[in-house]
Amino acid sequence: MNPTSIRSSAWMPWASVSALLLAAGLAGCSRPQAQPEPVRAVRLLTVGQGSAAASQEFAAEVKARTESRLSFRVGGKLLERRAELGDSVKAGQLLARIDPTDLQLGQEAAQAALRAAQANLDQVAADLKRARELFAQNFVGAAEVERRDTAVKAAQAQLEQARAQAGVQGNQAQYARLLADVSGVVTAVEAEPGAVLGAGTPVLRLAHDGPRDVVFSIPEDRVAPLRALRGKPGAIQVTLWSGSGAGAAAPLPATLREVAAAADPSTRTFLAKADVGRAEVRLGQTATVRVAGASREGVVRLPLSALTEQGGRSVVWLLDPQEMTVRPHPVQVAGADGRQVLVSGGLAVGAEVVTAGVHALAPGQKVKRYQEPRSGSTLGAPMGEGEAAAATAPAAAPSATSATAATSAASR
């Protein structure tokens, strides 16, 4: 056997092994077969005919109708403060006290001046009496009697002045004690013991017992429509965020009492106050003021979760019931109402709108209807009278729990 044949025979097994290794490597580098995209479950709502009244809500706070800043009428060093933030006080109750030493000295000086004026009056009155006796005996002339009489009148005037000054100093000494004018609740503390206060420097802020107002701020574009409602009972609704009793969360009818004429310099909003009548509200409670607008025909009410944005436009996702696919569709938004959005155009009656899971959708994507875990609950079914199908009338917005469940189902 020649050497060439021997080398060829030895090389053939190694070539086969190399070919097998190359084929195995190529097979390992090939891409795995793509898995089919899962069919997502979406929550749907059927669009129906109806009208909706756009309304706006504002955060509000319950405040006293009358609130005053209490201060001393005289200056001095604040020695003690007997009222704390949130304390309920009664009329005539001692709230704070300043150092009365200088005021008492001034009162004593005024009393001394009053006694001196009284003594001077007594002296000139006695001189006048003697002058009249001597005039009767022709020992003095009429001019002397008139001079003595003028001195008595001057002394009388000085006595009245000293008496008035003593009264002023006596009052000032009483002003060293700050008393509550009316019953109420302390809502702010503006001075602490040890501070030297000038006359009129606020020490406490007192909310008077009595009527309560619901105070809220409104933007400039709502001022004119809201002023038209002023004085109309029940024109707005107030819902307290918390409270006691079974009816604490029930809306309360309120009457708009006043709207500020100028905007706040920092927020550029206008302050409004509404009277809730004799309703049991507590000072400082947080509330929501709801102002209903005019009813509009052809407005569809959808959950906020159904709306998204694409290319700077507001869109919703519509279902093709035959192909069971979804596609984005532009709509015209007329405004918002709480957790719902008002759509004024772009939707036809009978269209099925995806209301949850829109963030995970793509055009032409296969979907399936989301099934409620509870029996007797259907989506997209017509509602009863007064609610209107597909939330065209004021229908309740989906709860946070169900919206989360729908979103989770859509992402699976």
Side-chain angles (χ1 to χ4, degrees), residues 31-105:
R31 294 184 180 180
Q33 186 176 2
Q35 297 293 331
E37 185 177 355
V39 179
R40 301 185 182 276
V42 292
R43 186 184 294 271
L44 299 169
L45 195 62
T46 303
V47 177
Q49 291 181 342
S51 62
S55 61
Q56 286 189 321
E57 293 183 351
F58 305 96
E61 181 184 359
V62 177
K63 292 186 177 182
R65 180 167 300 179
T66 304
E67 188 172 296
S68 57
R69 292 184 174 182
L70 304 182
S71 59
F72 291 98
R73 299 187 184 184
V74 294
K77 182 179 180 179
L78 184 62
L79 294 182
E80 63 174 339
R81 178 173 46 78
R82 297 188 179 182
E84 300 294 339
L85 183 64
D87 287 354
S88 296
V89 300
K90 301 296 183 181
Q93 179 178 336
L94 178 62
L95 303 179
R97 187 169 61 88
I98 61 174
D99 186 2
T101 303
D102 293 343
L103 300 175
Q104 291 174 352
L105 291 175

Side-chain angles (χ1 to χ4, degrees), residues 12 36 43 50 62 72 132 145 149 189 221 229 245 261 282 294 304-305 330 340-341 361 372 375 384 391:
M12 289 180 63
R43 186 184 294 271
V62 177
F72 291 98
R132 286 175 176 172
V145 175
D149 183 63
V189 174
D221 61 340
L229 303 177
R282 298 192 307 271
L304 283 174
S305 58
Q340 295 182 330
V341 61
L361 299 178
E372 289 283 356
S375 60

Side-chain angles (χ1 to χ4, degrees), residues 31-362:
R31 294 184 180 180
Q33 186 176 2
Q35 297 293 331
E37 185 177 355
V39 179
R40 301 185 182 276
V42 292
R43 186 184 294 271
L44 299 169
L45 195 62
T46 303
V47 177
Q49 291 181 342
S51 62
S55 61
Q56 286 189 321
E57 293 183 351
F58 305 96
E61 181 184 359
V62 177
K63 292 186 177 182
R65 180 167 300 179
T66 304
E67 188 172 296
S68 57
R69 292 184 174 182
L70 304 182
S71 59
F72 291 98
R73 299 187 184 184
V74 294
K77 182 179 180 179
L78 184 62
L79 294 182
E80 63 174 339
R81 178 173 46 78
R82 297 188 179 182
E84 300 294 339
L85 183 64
D87 287 354
S88 296
V89 300
K90 301 296 183 181
Q93 179 178 336
L94 178 62
L95 303 179
R97 187 169 61 88
I98 61 174
D99 186 2
T101 303
D102 293 343
L103 300 175
Q104 291 174 352
L105 291 175
Q107 183 181 16
E108 293 175 3
Q111 291 293 335
L114 176 61
R115 292 192 295 270
Q118 183 65 53
N120 181 54
L121 176 61
D122 294 342
Q123 178 62 46
V124 295
D127 291 345
L128 176 61
K129 181 179 178 182
R130 286 192 295 270
R132 286 175 176 172
E133 292 175 353
L134 294 175
F135 177 74
Q137 298 175 8
N138 293 324
F139 286 108
V140 295
E144 181 64 19
V145 175
E146 292 178 358
R147 187 176 65 83
R148 298 292 181 179
D149 183 63
T150 302
V152 169
K153 293 179 181 179
Q156 181 66 38
Q158 291 176 357
L159 177 62
E160 294 175 358
Q161 180 183 6
R163 184 178 292 115
Q165 187 64 31
V168 171
Q169 292 297 328
N171 292 339
Q172 299 233 343
Q174 295 295 324
Y175 295 156
R177 302 167 70 245
L178 182 61
L179 306 178
D181 298 330
V182 296
S183 300
V185 179
V186 178
T187 58
V189 174
E190 303 186 14
E192 297 294 341
V196 178
L197 308 176
T201 302
V203 179
L204 298 170
R205 188 180 302 168
L206 184 66
H208 298 193
D209 288 343
R212 297 285 189 256
D213 282 340
V214 177
V215 181
F216 57 101
S217 298
I218 57 176
E220 185 176 357
D221 61 340
R222 293 294 302 167
V223 172
L226 202 62
R227 279 181 178 161
L229 303 177
R230 186 168 54 183
K232 296 181 180 180
I236 60 178
Q237 299 289 325
V238 175
T239 303
L240 301 176
W241 288 14
S242 63
S244 59
L252 301 173
T255 304
L256 185 64
R257 196 170 61 84
E258 65 179 52
V259 179
D264 183 88
S266 57
T267 63
R268 305 309 304 168
T269 57
F270 291 75
L271 194 67
K273 298 180 180 180
D275 180 17
V276 292
R278 298 184 178 181
E280 293 297 329
V281 294
R282 298 192 307 271
L283 193 67
Q285 278 187 294
T286 307
T288 298
V289 175
R290 186 183 182 92
V291 182
S295 179
R296 300 179 60 180
E297 295 294 335
V299 175
V300 180
R301 189 185 294 267
L302 297 176
L304 283 174
S305 58
L307 195 69
T308 186
E309 184 179 356
Q310 289 186 359
R313 298 185 303 173
S314 299
V315 300
V316 297
W317 289 84
L318 298 183
L319 174 70
D320 184 349
Q322 296 181 354
E323 301 292 336
M324 288 305 294
T325 58
V326 292
R327 60 182 177 86
H329 183 72
V331 293
Q332 289 79 44
V333 177
D337 184 8
R339 293 185 299 171
Q340 295 182 330
V341 61
L342 303 180
V343 178
S344 59
L347 291 178
V349 176
E352 292 185 274
V353 179
V354 179
T355 61
V358 296
H359 66 285
L361 299 178

